[in-house]
Amino acid sequence: MSETETTSILVIDDHPLFRKGVADLIAMDPGLRLVGEAADGESGVSLAQALAPDLVLLDLNMKGMDGLQTLKVLKSGEFDARVIMLTVSDSEDDVVGALRAGADGYLLKDMEPEEILAQLEEARQGRVVISDRLTELLARALREDSRPRSVAESGLTERESEILKMLARGYSNKVIARELDIAEGTIKVHVKHILKKLKLRSRVEAAVWAVDQGHR
Amino acid sequence: MSETETTSILVIDDHPLFRKGVADLIAMDPGLRLVGEAADGESGVSLAQALAPDLVLLDLNMKGMDGLQTLKVLKSGEFDARVIMLTVSDSEDDVVGALRAGADGYLLKDMEPEEILAQLEEARQGRVVISDRLTELLARALREDSRPRSVAESGLTERESEILKMLARGYSNKVIARELDIAEGTIKVHVKHILKKLKLRSRVEAAVWAVDQGHR
DNA sequence: ATCGGATTACCACCAAATGAGTAACTGGAG
DNA sequence: CTCCAGTTACTCATTTGGTGGTAATCCGAT
């Protein structure tokens, strides 16, 4: 097996133990070859330039230049290395931020080792790999992305805005109906339309959104 | 106690027409006697001192010294007149504000005349009278009053706070269960306890409360 | 060492609330 | 006249909230 058949990998992570773990893992797969390690973003970028690895495994939480910044630098340069985030954070902000910044994958450190190897293989073939646990979160983020940012552009009618405000006070359909002196069924129709227009799935989400928006 | 069996009444309202209406109404009841009228808070207070009426009917929205201020002055002095708010405002702030300031009653101007007379009779007997329409609102205000102002004093456990945060993101029980990897039934129990501890009635109220509290 | 509480997790059952879908009527604006 | 906002009514499946339990664990006080 010639050296060009294997996938060269650079690991950037400030945790020595974790780098060791990854090194062992990579050693288990004859198709992968660890060509360098870096403990921080700066040296990671230098190494990436010097070694031109096929894949970069990048941690998010590092002291100094953090993972996201490092990612941006790596992606801004003239490397064509694929960068896979390998981190513990499953927070929406981190995941979405990394993917928006051009990450080619986002894997969680708590994945099974075999699973990680399988995903790295996928990544080498040019696939974007993402931990299963995050797909749902990702779907939500995308939905929220397309969500209107204000009542103005949400296309809500007068009546619907009025009812949304009441939702934001925690009122039930019954209470709203009594308050506006119309049938409860009508409220349900309005709420349904509000959810559709705002691309939300429940009155709770609508209430939270409205409160965030400052609709008191 | 005294020479007259009738109840003396002072009306303070900046609306001449409305004072006229009240005067006519009072004239219909032989047990009531209108002893004075005032168009603003200042003269109302003077008249109250001079006439020492049994009841004062006080409007809330008046130019100059408004109804609430007038009420406070009346209640701070050495009068023992009972003050009944008679106004159009059914807003929670007004109602709660007036009652907190010591109002002995809160009646709405859109009540039926006979109903108003009946309530004035109740008031004369020392009862606190409040328009039926407002009782629900009042109950809510009281509940909110006794509501804990922070998670700290709410007595929520770690787990409950954790779940409350998820409620504040609009998550359903099912999603929370998957996220925490415990049974959905368990989430329901936790939510029940949260509602009980926070004295709330639905997850929507809990979510709104949490967001207001800044629990992101 | 044992008792009692607090916490966490689980269960089943039931009533009410919610959300989705479909259909239809009205009144006003264009 | 047509379109739209608002209204009502009717199903249906799902979700939620409440009741009333059981049980394991941990911790502090007796």
Side-chain angles (χ1 to χ4, degrees):
Chain A
M1 169 110 48
S2 77
E3 311 199 351
T4 55
E5 298 260 346
T6 62
T7 303
S8 57
I9 298 183
L10 166 66
V11 177
I12 309 177
D13 192 312
D14 64 350
H15 233 119
L17 264 77
F18 182 74
R19 290 202 305 276
K20 175 75 165 63
V22 172
D24 289 351
L25 182 63
I26 289 175
M28 287 170 52
D29 189 324
L32 304 179
R33 183 170 39 99
L34 184 64
V35 295
E37 294 183 26
D40 58 81
E42 291 82 353
S43 55
V45 171
S46 309
L47 272 182
Q49 286 181 295
L51 303 171
D54 297 319
L55 292 183
V56 176
L57 297 187
L58 179 57
D59 188 27
L60 256 187
N61 338 342
M62 292 188 297
K63 34 190 182 300
M65 186 163 79
D66 72 19
L68 197 56
Q69 292 174 273
T70 308
L71 171 63
K72 285 173 181 163
V73 173
L74 285 175
K75 281 296 170 181
S76 69
E78 56 293 337
F79 320 99
D80 62 348
R82 298 180 59 76
V83 181
I84 314 293
M85 307 308 295
L86 185 52
T87 180
V88 291
S89 167
D90 60 355
S91 96
E92 180 165 322
D93 286 348
D94 286 340
V95 178
V96 174
L99 291 178
R100 263 203 241 285
D104 301 289
Y106 195 107
L107 302 179
L108 296 174
K109 286 183 173 176
D110 61 5
M111 290 174 69
E112 293 301 322
E114 314 83 58
E115 181 63 12
I116 292 184
L117 286 180
Q119 295 285 45
L120 290 185
E121 175 59 22
E122 294 287 313
R124 192 197 58 72
Q125 290 170 19
R127 209 83 49 80
V128 172
V129 292
I130 294 176
S131 283
D132 288 341
R133 262 180 53 204
L134 302 176
T135 52
E136 181 196 1
L137 180 150
L138 209 57
R140 187 169 51 239
L142 288 178
R143 236 198 356 269
E144 281 166 4
D145 223 29
S146 64
R147 187 168 301 163
R149 274 88 49 228
S150 73
V151 200
E153 64 184 290
S154 64
L156 291 191
T157 66
E158 267 306 304
R159 204 51 153 172
E160 287 161 356
S161 302
E162 193 178 4
I163 289 175
L164 177 59
K165 284 201 190 76
M166 295 188 169
L167 280 184
R169 295 197 198 104
Y171 291 8
S172 68
N173 289 338
K174 192 169 295 187
V175 170
I176 298 176
R178 204 166 28 215
E179 206 87 5
L180 298 182
D181 197 35
I182 56 180
E184 182 181 348
T186 307
I187 307 297
K188 294 168 87 174
V189 174
H190 285 311
V191 171
K192 185 183 5 179
H193 292 158
I194 291 171
L195 294 181
K196 173 153 294 203
K197 288 181 179 177
L198 262 34
K199 299 198 206 318
L200 298 170
R201 293 194 307 321
S202 76
R203 68 199 292 103
V204 188
E205 291 187 358
V208 171
W209 183 83
V211 172
D212 273 342
Q213 234 63 24
H215 292 281
R216 287 300 143 69
Chain B
M1 16 253 288
S2 50
E3 10 166 18
T4 67
E5 298 268 338
T6 62
T7 303
S8 58
I9 299 183
L10 167 65
V11 177
I12 309 177
D13 192 313
D14 64 349
H15 238 117
L17 264 76
F18 183 72
R19 289 204 304 276
K20 176 73 165 66
V22 173
D24 288 352
L25 183 63
I26 290 176
M28 287 170 52
D29 189 325
L32 304 179
R33 185 169 39 97
L34 183 65
V35 296
E37 295 183 27
D40 60 79
E42 291 82 353
S43 55
V45 172
S46 309
L47 273 182
Q49 285 181 297
L51 303 171
D54 298 320
L55 291 182
V56 176
L57 297 187
L58 179 57
D59 187 28
L60 212 45
N61 338 341
M62 292 188 297
K63 36 190 182 301
M65 186 163 78
D66 72 20
L68 196 57
Q69 293 175 274
T70 308
L71 171 64
K72 285 174 180 162
V73 173
L74 286 174
K75 281 295 169 181
S76 69
E78 58 292 335
F79 321 98
D80 62 348
R82 298 178 61 76
V83 181
I84 314 293
M85 309 307 295
L86 184 53
T87 181
V88 291
S89 167
D90 61 354
S91 95
E92 181 165 322
D93 287 348
D94 286 339
V95 178
V96 174
L99 292 178
R100 261 204 244 284
D104 301 290
Y106 196 107
L107 302 179
L108 296 174
K109 286 183 174 177
D110 62 5
M111 290 174 69
E112 293 300 322
E114 315 82 57
E115 182 61 13
I116 293 185
L117 286 179
Q119 295 285 45
L120 290 184
E121 175 59 19
E122 294 287 313
R124 194 197 57 74
Q125 290 171 19
R127 208 86 48 80
V128 171
V129 292
I130 294 176
S131 283
D132 288 341
R133 262 180 53 204
L134 303 175
T135 52
E136 180 197 2
L137 180 151
L138 208 58
R140 186 170 53 238
L142 287 178
R143 237 195 352 269
E144 280 166 4
D145 222 31
S146 65
R147 189 168 299 164
R149 272 90 50 230
S150 72
V151 200
E153 64 186 288
S154 64
L156 291 189
T157 66
E158 268 308 305
R159 204 49 153 172
E160 287 161 355
S161 304
E162 194 178 3
I163 289 174
L164 178 58
K165 284 202 191 76
M166 294 188 170
L167 279 184
R169 295 197 199 105
Y171 291 8
S172 69
N173 289 338
K174 192 168 295 188
V175 170
I176 298 175
R178 203 166 33 214
E179 208 86 5
L180 299 181
D181 198 35
I182 57 181
E184 182 181 346
T186 305
I187 306 297
K188 295 168 83 174
V189 176
H190 284 309
V191 171
K192 183 189 4 179
H193 292 157
I194 291 172
L195 294 181
K196 174 152 293 200
K197 287 181 179 176
L198 298 182
K199 300 196 209 304
L200 298 169
R201 295 191 310 316
S202 75
R203 67 198 295 103
V204 188
E205 291 186 0
V208 171
W209 183 83
V211 172
D212 272 342
Q213 234 63 25
H215 291 281
R216 290 298 144 69

